[in-house]
Amino acid sequence: MPDFIWQQGVPIANTLCVSASAQRLLVLHHPMRALRDPEVRTFLMDPVTEVLGSGSNVLLLSDELPRVAQIQAKGWWALQRDTRVWITAEVGLWLDTLVRETASRGWYGLERLAEIPGTCGAAPMQNVGAYGLQLSERVTGVTVWDRQTGQVSRWSSTECGFAYRDSRFKQEEPRWLILAVHLLLSTQRPKDWPPVDYPGVRPIAEARAAARGDALSALTPLDMVEIITQVRRKKLPDWRSPPPGSAGSFFQNPVVPAEKAAALQAQFPELPQYPTDAPDQIKLSAGWLIERCGWRGYRSGDAGVFDAHALVLVNHGQATGAALWALAQRIQQDVQARFGVWLIPEPRQLSGR
Ligand code: EPU
């Protein structure tokens, strides 16, 4: 396998299944060796070059991007000391693969991130999270290459600036090329095991344990992966078999000042509200706001809103990025007009700068 290859006019993989191609694509199989090549360095140092993973969090607004780079290195390593398991994952590895591989070895820590589409390299960008766990809670560090200076460094989790669906990588886009993600898992059952408090998880977990005549606490990490898979499949499109294509949640759950949340609660007592780390900030359910505006199951041509979850925009076949974006904007305006809340999209919009 060569360290890197160049390709011309290649379709860009993306889970929303929008049709677009890269005029020039650089595929890195061995990034550390490839980064010694002057042409590779120049290509990556050009801010026009878009670095993409599996395209699970992008909305392609143009049918062609001039320059795209993709890291395909998919290795991972574990070092076990006592009950602690230190993991290093290369960025081209699917996060879901890492979740399943580690859970099947009986290691606790990543189960709730099962079924999230995308690579290990893309995951820290927006600090993916589900069922009460954010990736940042397991990350000990991230190895990055500075696209301005060409230097490699390893950041601690604190230096990564993680927050809800946010990180320093996202804030300082396109400066940092993520090369590896470092995580800490455990062979020991956590005190609060199993993590079933998120709505909808407990009944499925109880049924699984009961079917085996086991206590809930006897569930293994792999059981939890399968439980989460079952919960997600009920509400979210399966990214392995489009159509429909999707990018998971299309909008972030909006975080609003506590006074605004209180005013909304007085008017709409059923609107789900969640505390955040800041006492004066409350997170609202974007799915509820969008559903209340009547968008769940809406379809215009091939662009639509998933019928089982209003937070998910879907491509039923041939929708363009522009059509999906037009729909997203209509939803934003509607939610703003009805509730006075502005929804922020999750996927990065790429328009071929
Ligand atoms: N709801 C509705 N209608 C809908 C969808 C949701 O009323 O069509 C309300 C319901 O009350 C429901 C609540 O919203 O109980 C929460 O819904 P859900 O449990 O599906 O979670 P979410 O807040 O919509 C977040 C993440 C998901 C993650 C789930 C589970 C964001 C933006 N999304 O969704 O992440 O899987 O929690 O942890 O934070 C993703 O980011 O791509 C993603 C799928």
Side-chain angles (χ1 to χ4, degrees), residues 129-132 164-165 198 232 235-236 247-249 251-253 272 274 285 287-288 291 296 308-311 346:
Y131 305 98
Y164 168 64
R165 295 296 189 273
Y198 195 90
R232 281 184 78 100
K235 288 198 198 170
L236 300 167
S249 301
F251 297 101
Q252 296 177 20
N253 281 329
Y274 314 97
S285 161
W288 189 94
E291 178 172 350
R296 183 139 80 95
H309 204 298
L311 194 46
E346 272 204 6

Short mmCIF file of all heavy atoms in Angstrom, two decimals, residues 129-132 164-165 198 232 235-236 247-249 251-253 272 274 285 287-288 291 296 308-311 346, ligand 1:
data_model
loop_
_atom_site.label_atom_id
_atom_site.label_comp_id
_atom_site.label_asym_id
_atom_site.label_seq_id
_atom_site.Cartn_x
_atom_site.Cartn_y
_atom_site.Cartn_z
N GLY A 129 -21.86 12.67 20.64
CA GLY A 129 -22.39 12.18 21.91
C GLY A 129 -23.76 11.57 21.72
O GLY A 129 -24.45 11.86 20.73
N ALA A 130 -24.12 10.67 22.63
CA ALA A 130 -25.45 10.07 22.59
C ALA A 130 -25.73 9.36 23.92
O ALA A 130 -24.81 8.85 24.56
CB ALA A 130 -25.56 9.07 21.44
N TYR A 131 -27.00 9.36 24.29
CA TYR A 131 -27.47 8.61 25.47
C TYR A 131 -26.70 8.96 26.74
O TYR A 131 -26.32 8.11 27.54
CB TYR A 131 -27.51 7.10 25.17
CG TYR A 131 -28.35 6.89 23.94
CD1 TYR A 131 -27.76 6.73 22.70
CD2 TYR A 131 -29.74 7.00 24.01
CE1 TYR A 131 -28.54 6.68 21.55
CE2 TYR A 131 -30.52 6.94 22.88
CZ TYR A 131 -29.91 6.78 21.65
OH TYR A 131 -30.67 6.75 20.52
N GLY A 132 -26.43 10.28 26.86
CA GLY A 132 -25.82 10.77 28.10
C GLY A 132 -24.31 10.69 28.12
O GLY A 132 -23.69 10.97 29.16
N TYR A 164 -20.51 20.95 24.28
CA TYR A 164 -21.60 20.25 23.60
C TYR A 164 -21.49 20.47 22.08
O TYR A 164 -21.56 21.60 21.61
CB TYR A 164 -22.96 20.75 24.13
CG TYR A 164 -24.14 20.32 23.29
CD1 TYR A 164 -24.48 18.98 23.16
CD2 TYR A 164 -24.91 21.26 22.60
CE1 TYR A 164 -25.55 18.58 22.37
CE2 TYR A 164 -25.98 20.88 21.82
CZ TYR A 164 -26.29 19.54 21.71
OH TYR A 164 -27.34 19.15 20.92
N ARG A 165 -21.26 19.40 21.34
CA ARG A 165 -21.12 19.42 19.87
C ARG A 165 -20.12 20.48 19.39
O ARG A 165 -20.30 21.10 18.35
CB ARG A 165 -22.47 19.68 19.19
CG ARG A 165 -23.50 18.59 19.39
CD ARG A 165 -23.05 17.27 18.75
NE ARG A 165 -24.12 16.30 18.75
CZ ARG A 165 -24.38 15.47 19.76
NH1 ARG A 165 -23.63 15.47 20.85
NH2 ARG A 165 -25.38 14.60 19.67
N TYR A 198 -31.21 7.11 30.14
CA TYR A 198 -31.74 7.91 29.03
C TYR A 198 -33.10 7.35 28.60
O TYR A 198 -33.26 6.12 28.51
CB TYR A 198 -30.75 7.89 27.86
CG TYR A 198 -31.04 8.97 26.85
CD1 TYR A 198 -30.46 10.22 26.96
CD2 TYR A 198 -31.94 8.75 25.80
CE1 TYR A 198 -30.75 11.23 26.06
CE2 TYR A 198 -32.23 9.75 24.89
CZ TYR A 198 -31.62 10.99 25.02
OH TYR A 198 -31.92 11.98 24.13
N ARG A 232 -31.56 3.21 18.73
CA ARG A 232 -31.31 4.15 17.62
C ARG A 232 -32.07 3.75 16.35
O ARG A 232 -32.56 4.61 15.63
CB ARG A 232 -29.81 4.22 17.30
CG ARG A 232 -29.04 5.09 18.26
CD ARG A 232 -27.60 5.20 17.84
NE ARG A 232 -27.40 6.13 16.74
CZ ARG A 232 -26.96 7.37 16.88
NH1 ARG A 232 -26.69 7.85 18.07
NH2 ARG A 232 -26.79 8.15 15.84
N LYS A 235 -35.50 5.14 15.73
CA LYS A 235 -35.75 6.56 15.49
C LYS A 235 -34.93 7.17 14.38
O LYS A 235 -35.27 8.22 13.86
CB LYS A 235 -35.36 7.33 16.76
CG LYS A 235 -36.29 7.17 17.91
CD LYS A 235 -36.03 8.30 18.86
CE LYS A 235 -36.55 8.06 20.24
NZ LYS A 235 -36.06 9.08 21.16
N LEU A 236 -33.79 6.55 14.07
CA LEU A 236 -32.86 7.20 13.13
C LEU A 236 -32.66 6.32 11.90
O LEU A 236 -32.67 5.10 12.01
CB LEU A 236 -31.50 7.43 13.81
CG LEU A 236 -31.54 8.32 15.06
CD1 LEU A 236 -30.24 8.25 15.83
CD2 LEU A 236 -31.82 9.76 14.66
N ALA A 247 -27.65 13.01 7.90
CA ALA A 247 -26.42 13.37 8.62
C ALA A 247 -26.72 13.32 10.11
O ALA A 247 -26.23 14.13 10.88
CB ALA A 247 -25.95 14.75 8.19
N GLY A 248 -27.54 12.37 10.53
CA GLY A 248 -27.95 12.31 11.95
C GLY A 248 -28.76 13.55 12.27
O GLY A 248 -29.50 14.06 11.41
N SER A 249 -28.62 14.05 13.48
CA SER A 249 -29.33 15.28 13.85
C SER A 249 -28.85 16.40 12.93
O SER A 249 -27.64 16.62 12.83
CB SER A 249 -29.01 15.70 15.28
OG SER A 249 -29.38 14.70 16.18
N PHE A 251 -29.77 19.60 13.30
CA PHE A 251 -29.57 20.80 14.12
C PHE A 251 -29.08 20.41 15.51
O PHE A 251 -29.39 19.32 16.00
CB PHE A 251 -30.88 21.58 14.27
CG PHE A 251 -31.43 22.09 12.97
CD1 PHE A 251 -32.47 21.42 12.33
CD2 PHE A 251 -30.90 23.22 12.38
CE1 PHE A 251 -32.98 21.89 11.12
CE2 PHE A 251 -31.41 23.69 11.17
CZ PHE A 251 -32.45 23.02 10.54
N GLN A 252 -28.36 21.31 16.15
CA GLN A 252 -28.01 21.10 17.56
C GLN A 252 -29.25 21.37 18.41
O GLN A 252 -30.13 22.14 18.01
CB GLN A 252 -26.94 22.10 17.99
CG GLN A 252 -25.63 21.92 17.27
CD GLN A 252 -24.61 22.98 17.67
OE1 GLN A 252 -24.71 23.61 18.71
NE2 GLN A 252 -23.62 23.16 16.82
N ASN A 253 -29.28 20.77 19.57
CA ASN A 253 -30.32 21.17 20.53
C ASN A 253 -29.96 22.57 21.01
O ASN A 253 -28.83 22.79 21.47
CB ASN A 253 -30.38 20.18 21.70
CG ASN A 253 -31.12 18.91 21.32
OD1 ASN A 253 -32.04 18.94 20.51
ND2 ASN A 253 -30.73 17.79 21.90
N PRO A 272 -39.42 19.45 26.17
CA PRO A 272 -38.32 18.91 26.99
C PRO A 272 -37.19 19.92 27.17
O PRO A 272 -36.77 20.57 26.21
CB PRO A 272 -37.84 17.69 26.19
CG PRO A 272 -38.97 17.34 25.27
CD PRO A 272 -39.64 18.64 24.95
N TYR A 274 -33.36 20.50 29.33
CA TYR A 274 -32.28 19.78 30.03
C TYR A 274 -31.30 20.79 30.62
O TYR A 274 -30.99 21.80 29.98
CB TYR A 274 -31.51 18.88 29.05
CG TYR A 274 -32.41 18.06 28.13
CD1 TYR A 274 -32.70 18.49 26.84
CD2 TYR A 274 -32.97 16.86 28.57
CE1 TYR A 274 -33.52 17.75 25.99
CE2 TYR A 274 -33.79 16.11 27.73
CZ TYR A 274 -34.06 16.56 26.44
OH TYR A 274 -34.87 15.83 25.61
N SER A 285 -35.14 20.77 23.40
CA SER A 285 -35.19 19.71 22.41
C SER A 285 -35.57 20.30 21.04
O SER A 285 -36.70 20.73 20.82
CB SER A 285 -36.23 18.68 22.83
OG SER A 285 -36.60 17.92 21.73
N GLY A 287 -35.82 18.65 18.30
CA GLY A 287 -36.76 17.75 17.63
C GLY A 287 -38.20 18.11 17.99
O GLY A 287 -39.08 18.14 17.12
N TRP A 288 -38.43 18.43 19.25
CA TRP A 288 -39.78 18.79 19.69
C TRP A 288 -40.23 20.09 19.02
O TRP A 288 -41.36 20.20 18.54
CB TRP A 288 -39.79 18.93 21.23
CG TRP A 288 -41.15 19.10 21.82
CD1 TRP A 288 -41.95 18.11 22.32
CD2 TRP A 288 -41.87 20.34 21.99
NE1 TRP A 288 -43.12 18.65 22.78
CE2 TRP A 288 -43.11 20.02 22.59
CE3 TRP A 288 -41.60 21.67 21.68
CZ2 TRP A 288 -44.06 20.98 22.90
CZ3 TRP A 288 -42.56 22.63 21.98
CH2 TRP A 288 -43.77 22.28 22.57
N GLU A 291 -40.97 19.38 15.38
CA GLU A 291 -42.20 18.60 15.23
C GLU A 291 -43.42 19.49 15.46
O GLU A 291 -44.40 19.44 14.71
CB GLU A 291 -42.22 17.42 16.20
CG GLU A 291 -43.52 16.66 16.07
CD GLU A 291 -43.57 15.35 16.84
OE1 GLU A 291 -42.55 14.89 17.36
OE2 GLU A 291 -44.68 14.79 16.89
N ARG A 296 -42.39 17.15 10.88
CA ARG A 296 -42.03 15.71 10.91
C ARG A 296 -42.68 14.99 9.73
O ARG A 296 -43.88 15.12 9.51
CB ARG A 296 -42.48 15.09 12.23
CG ARG A 296 -42.08 13.64 12.36
CD ARG A 296 -41.59 13.31 13.75
NE ARG A 296 -42.66 13.09 14.69
CZ ARG A 296 -43.16 11.89 15.00
NH1 ARG A 296 -42.69 10.82 14.41
NH2 ARG A 296 -44.12 11.78 15.87
N ALA A 308 -39.73 9.45 11.60
CA ALA A 308 -39.64 8.99 12.99
C ALA A 308 -38.90 9.97 13.89
O ALA A 308 -38.83 9.77 15.10
CB ALA A 308 -38.97 7.62 13.06
N HIS A 309 -38.32 11.03 13.32
CA HIS A 309 -37.55 11.98 14.13
C HIS A 309 -37.39 13.30 13.39
O HIS A 309 -36.75 13.36 12.34
CB HIS A 309 -36.17 11.40 14.45
CG HIS A 309 -35.58 11.98 15.69
ND1 HIS A 309 -35.28 13.31 15.81
CD2 HIS A 309 -35.24 11.42 16.88
CE1 HIS A 309 -34.79 13.54 17.01
NE2 HIS A 309 -34.76 12.40 17.69
N ALA A 310 -37.96 14.36 13.96
CA ALA A 310 -38.00 15.63 13.25
C ALA A 310 -36.66 16.35 13.18
O ALA A 310 -36.52 17.32 12.43
CB ALA A 310 -39.04 16.54 13.92
N LEU A 311 -35.67 15.88 13.96
CA LEU A 311 -34.38 16.56 13.95
C LEU A 311 -33.48 16.09 12.80
O LEU A 311 -32.39 16.60 12.58
CB LEU A 311 -33.69 16.27 15.30
CG LEU A 311 -32.49 17.08 15.76
CD1 LEU A 311 -32.70 18.56 15.54
CD2 LEU A 311 -32.21 16.80 17.23
N GLU A 346 -25.90 21.28 12.49
CA GLU A 346 -24.73 20.49 12.91
C GLU A 346 -23.75 20.28 11.76
O GLU A 346 -22.56 20.45 11.94
CB GLU A 346 -25.18 19.12 13.44
CG GLU A 346 -25.50 19.11 14.90
CD GLU A 346 -25.37 17.71 15.50
OE1 GLU A 346 -24.92 16.78 14.82
OE2 GLU A 346 -25.70 17.58 16.68
N1 EPU B 1 -38.75 14.84 20.16
C1 EPU B 1 -39.96 15.15 19.59
N2 EPU B 1 -40.15 14.90 18.27
C2 EPU B 1 -39.18 14.38 17.49
C3 EPU B 1 -37.95 14.07 18.05
C4 EPU B 1 -37.75 14.31 19.39
O1 EPU B 1 -40.84 15.64 20.27
O2 EPU B 1 -39.44 14.19 16.29
C5 EPU B 1 -38.55 15.09 21.60
C6 EPU B 1 -39.07 13.95 22.45
O3 EPU B 1 -39.66 14.49 23.60
C7 EPU B 1 -37.83 13.20 22.85
C8 EPU B 1 -36.81 14.31 22.94
O4 EPU B 1 -37.19 15.22 21.90
O5 EPU B 1 -37.98 12.53 24.07
C9 EPU B 1 -35.38 13.90 22.77
O6 EPU B 1 -35.25 13.14 21.55
P1 EPU B 1 -34.04 12.11 21.38
O7 EPU B 1 -33.95 11.21 22.55
O8 EPU B 1 -34.14 11.47 20.05
O9 EPU B 1 -32.76 13.02 21.46
P2 EPU B 1 -32.37 14.35 20.71
O10 EPU B 1 -32.11 15.39 21.75
O11 EPU B 1 -33.32 14.69 19.63
C10 EPU B 1 -29.78 13.90 20.84
C11 EPU B 1 -28.62 13.92 19.90
C12 EPU B 1 -28.60 12.64 19.08
C13 EPU B 1 -28.51 11.45 20.01
C14 EPU B 1 -29.71 11.49 20.95
C15 EPU B 1 -29.65 10.40 21.98
C16 EPU B 1 -28.25 16.26 19.40
C17 EPU B 1 -28.37 17.35 18.40
N3 EPU B 1 -28.72 15.08 19.03
O12 EPU B 1 -30.96 13.93 20.04
O13 EPU B 1 -27.42 12.66 18.31
O14 EPU B 1 -28.48 10.24 19.30
O15 EPU B 1 -29.73 12.75 21.66
O16 EPU B 1 -28.63 10.67 22.88
O17 EPU B 1 -27.71 16.48 20.48
C18 EPU B 1 -26.58 13.32 16.19
O18 EPU B 1 -25.98 14.23 16.79
O19 EPU B 1 -26.46 13.12 14.96
C19 EPU B 1 -27.48 12.47 16.94
C20 EPU B 1 -28.28 11.59 16.36
#
